[in-house]
Amino acid sequence: MKTFTVALLFILSLVTLFTAARADALSQPSIQPRMARPQVLPEGDEDKKDGKDDEEDEEEYRALSQHAALELVDPGGQDAVLLLRIAALRGP
């Protein structure tokens, strides 16, 4: 009877070990075969642009309001900011 109990405990411990290992493996992020692959950046004369183009771009960006800049960076971000402000005003 002792041998049977020891064997049963051993089998249960192995099942627990494999279940924990499987749960840990499933919780790890993995690359799926249908995910988009990284794209190579185009090489060219982009690095050799005139400084004037950069200055013009910078002036255009400085003329933007905060709301327009947020929409440029994160479309729909303004809605999220408004929802967060409403939630903060209401409290818990």
Side-chain angles (χ1 to χ4, degrees):
M1 192 65 180
K2 273 184 169 181
T3 307
F4 177 72
T5 306
V6 170
L8 183 64
L9 286 175
F10 179 72
I11 290 171
L12 288 175
S13 67
L14 285 178
V15 168
T16 305
L17 175 71
F18 291 131
T19 304
R22 183 173 185 260
D24 187 45
L26 290 176
S27 69
Q28 299 295 325
S30 62
I31 297 175
Q32 301 297 326
R34 294 187 183 186
M35 290 181 72
R37 298 187 184 273
Q39 298 294 324
V40 178
L41 293 174
E43 294 181 15
D45 296 334
E46 293 294 324
D47 296 335
K48 299 176 184 176
K49 273 179 31 177
D50 292 336
K52 295 178 183 177
D53 292 338
D54 291 338
E55 290 174 5
E56 290 173 3
D57 291 342
E58 186 176 333
E59 289 175 10
E60 288 177 16
Y61 290 132
R62 287 185 185 205
L64 289 176
S65 67
Q66 288 181 352
H67 299 289
L70 181 60
E71 280 299 314
L72 184 66
V73 173
D74 183 17
Q78 187 65 30
D79 297 335
V81 171
L82 289 175
L83 290 174
L84 286 173
R85 285 184 182 172
I86 290 170
L89 290 175
R90 288 186 184 171

